[in-house]
Amino acid sequence: MVLVTGGAGFIGSHLCRRLIEAGHEVLCVDNFFTGERANVEGLFGNTRFELIRHDVTFPLYVEVDEIYNLACPASPVHYQFDPVQTTKVSVHGAINLLGLAKRVKARILQASTSEVYGDPGVHPQPESYWGHVNPIGPRACYDEGKRCAETLFFDYHRQHALPIKVARIFNTYGPYMRPDDGRVVSNFIVQALRGEPITLYGDGQQTRSFCYVSDLVEGLVRLMESPPEVTGPINLGNPVEFTMRELAELVLQITGSKSAMVFRPLPQDDPRQRQPDIRLAKATLDWAPTVPLEEGLKPTIAYFDALLAGRLTAV
């Protein structure tokens, strides 16, 4: 049995489907703060799939063999809505799930984030870089919460010989993103489809590297299945870098939208550059992303088009 916390979320729902397709029994746990039942309702008739509504800041008593901990709001709009709870999910959630893993002797994977690097002073970012994070800023509830979760994972590994895996996930996109999550890909697509102005911050020259969700899930599964000595942290993301303006132009091109671009002040502590160094993932997991941004945007745009028009069916 594989436990996926945050399993009804964007990445979690894709991971649940991938694990079911591979023949696993999957226990999906979500409190539905940002996750949606609709994301996994296509699995409800499968006898190898279970769904539990639960908040990981409280202990969970189940019998499982592997744990993927994806429980945490990942977009600034949602993690800044209740910053104290965001920190609790990362820290208390990690403690509870590590305790569960220790009790049932399960292998456990932490979905960490590129945000542990903050506004980086090193580019691209290797796993050896310790980061440049504002510990008291509006993003700290997420950034520092994830950094503390990594600390807990490695302390459990050293103190209790717990088999751990830590993945640092860079910007991921694809179907089942929320239209209101505030992340740049979903923002641009929804604005373009609605004919609203495309909102860029600063001068639009800050960069991100976008990884399609199927590539990311493949990396997570390979990390979980890797030998015990492979603990991570390991960067998982697409190293091809785009400016925000380039992304906006590509979305406009694919959607055929006539939306104009408007510019707003850059939010506090917003990273200027974000690009993963994935040499470790290539060497250790034989993993690298295969889906170019333009190809990944097409099904993502089709998903949002169907969602906004009310034409979605369960997958």
Side-chain angles (χ1 to χ4, degrees):
M1 174 72 77
V2 181
L3 169 62
V4 181
T5 66
F10 159 48
I11 294 174
S13 60
H14 283 274
L15 178 60
C16 285
R17 282 188 289 276
R18 166 63 188 276
L19 293 170
I20 289 289
E21 289 168 2
H24 294 284
E25 292 183 316
V26 174
L27 176 59
C28 172
V29 169
D30 207 295
N31 70 347
F32 302 110
F33 175 59
T34 58
E36 299 277 356
R37 287 180 184 273
N39 289 349
V40 292
E41 65 181 9
L43 297 172
F44 285 178
N46 194 304
T47 57
R48 288 183 283 107
F49 179 79
E50 295 180 55
L51 174 65
I52 296 177
R53 183 171 192 148
H54 181 81
D55 186 328
V56 298
T57 60
F58 298 93
L60 180 64
Y61 300 101
V62 293
E63 300 297 322
V64 295
D65 304 298
E66 294 180 348
I67 302 169
Y68 288 84
N69 181 28
L70 277 65
C72 190
S75 71
V77 168
H78 292 128
Y79 68 63
Q80 292 176 11
F81 174 77
D82 187 345
V84 172
Q85 185 64 18
T86 295
T87 304
K88 285 182 177 180
V89 169
S90 287
V91 179
H92 292 184
I95 291 170
N96 288 331
L97 291 166
L98 286 162
L100 170 63
K102 179 187 171 189
R103 180 178 68 82
V104 301
K105 297 180 172 57
R107 181 178 295 195
I108 182 169
L109 182 149
Q110 166 69 4
S112 191
T113 172
S114 61
E115 298 295 338
V116 301
Y117 300 122
D119 187 4
V122 173
H123 190 75
Q125 294 82 56
E127 292 86 353
S128 58
Y129 177 54
W130 289 356
H132 178 229
V133 175
N134 178 358
I136 60 171
R139 301 171 70 101
C141 58
Y142 184 69
D143 301 2
E144 296 288 25
K146 290 287 192 178
R147 286 162 69 95
C148 185
E150 287 195 14
T151 300
L152 286 162
F153 266 67
F154 278 90
D155 282 339
Y156 264 78
H157 176 64
R158 285 185 288 260
Q159 188 171 339
H160 302 296
L162 191 68
I164 66 162
K165 310 286 180 179
V166 175
R168 290 178 177 166
I169 298 172
F170 283 68
N171 294 67
T172 306
Y173 70 99
Y176 296 97
M177 296 181 79
R178 289 177 59 119
D180 62 348
D181 73 1
R183 285 184 274 197
V184 65
V185 172
S186 52
N187 275 0
F188 286 1
I189 291 173
V190 169
Q191 289 169 338
L193 291 173
R194 289 175 172 167
E196 300 170 352
I198 303 289
T199 307
L200 292 101
Y201 295 93
D203 59 5
Q205 295 305 305
Q206 66 271 38
T207 67
R208 296 293 185 272
S209 304
F210 300 103
C211 186
Y212 190 63
V213 64
S214 61
D215 282 333
L216 185 278
V217 167
E218 176 67 22
L220 292 175
V221 171
R222 289 194 187 196
L223 177 56
M224 178 64 91
E225 294 176 350
S226 63
E229 64 270 16
V230 179
T231 60
I234 290 184
N235 290 337
L236 295 178
N238 194 318
V240 181
E241 198 173 10
F242 291 87
T243 68
M244 297 300 93
R245 185 167 191 129
E246 287 172 333
L247 173 65
E249 290 169 348
L250 192 53
V251 168
L252 290 172
Q253 174 191 321
I254 297 172
T255 59
S257 173
K258 302 301 182 185
S259 294
M261 296 184 196
V262 296
F263 294 83
R264 299 283 184 262
L266 197 65
Q268 182 181 342
D269 300 329
D270 191 59
R272 293 161 296 172
Q273 290 181 303
R274 185 59 57 72
Q275 181 188 25
D277 180 333
I278 63 168
R279 287 176 293 177
L280 184 59
K282 286 180 176 179
T284 308
L285 309 177
D286 191 26
W287 176 89
T290 61
V291 182
L293 179 60
E294 184 172 357
E295 292 308 307
L297 282 175
K298 291 174 183 176
T300 308
I301 288 169
Y303 166 79
F304 278 110
D305 190 35
L307 179 67
L308 296 176
R311 301 193 307 269
L312 273 186
T313 56
V315 177

